[in-house]
Amino acid sequence: GRRAAAAAEWAVHQMKQGAFVFVAAILLAVLPVLYSPFVQSMALTCLMYAGLAVSWSMFSGPTRYLSLATSAFFGLGAYCTAWGLAKLPWPVVIMAGGLAAMIFALLIGLVVLKLRGAYFAVITYGLGELVKHTITHFEKTYAGTVGRVMTDTPSSNVVYWTVLIIALLAVFTYVHFGRSRYGHALRGIGMDEERAATLGVNPMRVKLIGFCLSAWFAGALGAAMAVRWTYIDPNTVFNPFIVFQTVLISIVGGPLTVGGPLA
């Protein structure tokens, strides 16, 4: 009887949460029609950081690995837009930005996910700076310039709705990934990685999946937000402020909940 009552209460709670998210999504979706461009711009920034904070919490929250690579993922996504916007459709550019960040997360994750604590945080931050200087060198050598001017960009409404969709997808993924066996395994790693390994969890594989999934959203958001500035350079899109703001929002809100970073 108690179990059935608890299950019913949990189901009602989930329905209320789902209804709240649905109503909030509808209100945010119609915001460009109802409000001024200034309000839309502010809402766009909030949605960007909401998506970044939720995606960061997806991995760093349960594992307690302080990742400072968000700026690297965001910047890679932004430069995918700078390089491909004139040649590729908008949805393909967004997917390419997320994919580039995911591939980079996979490559560095094979090395840095063997580290923990301050070592992991410092190395992930340093790799972000390395990517920034690598792209700066590449642009100077082969393009003859550091910055990129983007023309024929999507309308502000399209950019806003794209960022909204990515942020909502991040929330949906956070919830459902957290309930999956990989989400449970990540929490086990955060509590005691050695014990989780003895219980059948492959820590490296699980951490890589979570790290790459988190990176995709940061890269996709970078790709979507790049056109907002029209002109971008490495110092703009690889700005350390982006990662520190994201981590601060998540930690203050509570990285083990989806509502905290959103609020």
Side-chain angles (χ1 to χ4, degrees), residues 174-198:
Y174 180 102
V175 173
H176 288 272
F177 182 74
R179 293 175 185 169
S180 70
R181 62 191 181 94
Y182 292 108
H184 291 302
L186 282 178
R187 286 189 289 275
I189 289 170
M191 288 185 282
D192 191 327
E193 189 164 338
E194 286 76 17
R195 179 174 293 182
T198 62

Side-chain angles (χ1 to χ4, degrees), residues 95-185:
M95 293 298 296
L99 184 60
M102 182 179 285
I103 292 172
F104 179 67
L106 176 63
L107 295 176
I108 67 170
L110 291 170
V111 178
V112 301
L113 288 173
K114 297 177 182 178
L115 306 173
R116 298 185 191 178
Y119 297 102
F120 177 78
V122 170
I123 292 297
T124 52
Y125 178 78
L127 286 170
E129 289 295 298
L130 177 63
V131 174
K132 179 177 78 172
H133 291 296
T134 301
I135 288 183
T136 300
H137 175 74
F138 177 85
E139 289 285 84
K140 284 182 177 179
T141 304
Y142 297 101
T145 181
V146 177
R148 291 267 179 169
V149 177
M150 287 174 287
T151 57
D152 298 325
T153 59
S155 68
S156 59
N157 286 356
V158 170
V159 175
Y160 175 86
W161 286 323
T162 302
V163 173
L164 174 62
I165 290 171
I166 297 171
L168 289 173
L169 186 60
V171 173
F172 179 84
T173 305
Y174 180 102
V175 173
H176 288 272
F177 182 74
R179 293 175 185 169
S180 70
R181 62 191 181 94
Y182 292 108
H184 291 302

Side-chain angles (χ1 to χ4, degrees), residues 30-118:
V30 300
L31 186 143
V33 181
L34 303 176
Y35 292 96
S36 69
F38 174 76
V39 173
Q40 181 180 341
S41 177
M42 290 294 293
L44 181 64
T45 302
C46 290
L47 286 173
M48 181 192 83
Y49 277 112
L52 288 174
V54 170
S55 64
W56 184 87
S57 300
M58 196 182 301
F59 169 76
S60 293
T63 61
R64 303 180 185 180
Y65 276 65
L66 182 62
S67 171
L68 298 179
T70 302
S71 294
F73 303 145
F74 186 91
L76 281 172
Y79 263 88
C80 283
T81 298
W83 293 327
L85 184 61
K87 305 172 185 177
L88 301 172
W90 178 243
V92 176
V93 169
I94 300 301
M95 293 298 296
L99 184 60
M102 182 179 285
I103 292 172
F104 179 67
L106 176 63
L107 295 176
I108 67 170
L110 291 170
V111 178
V112 301
L113 288 173
K114 297 177 182 178
L115 306 173
R116 298 185 191 178

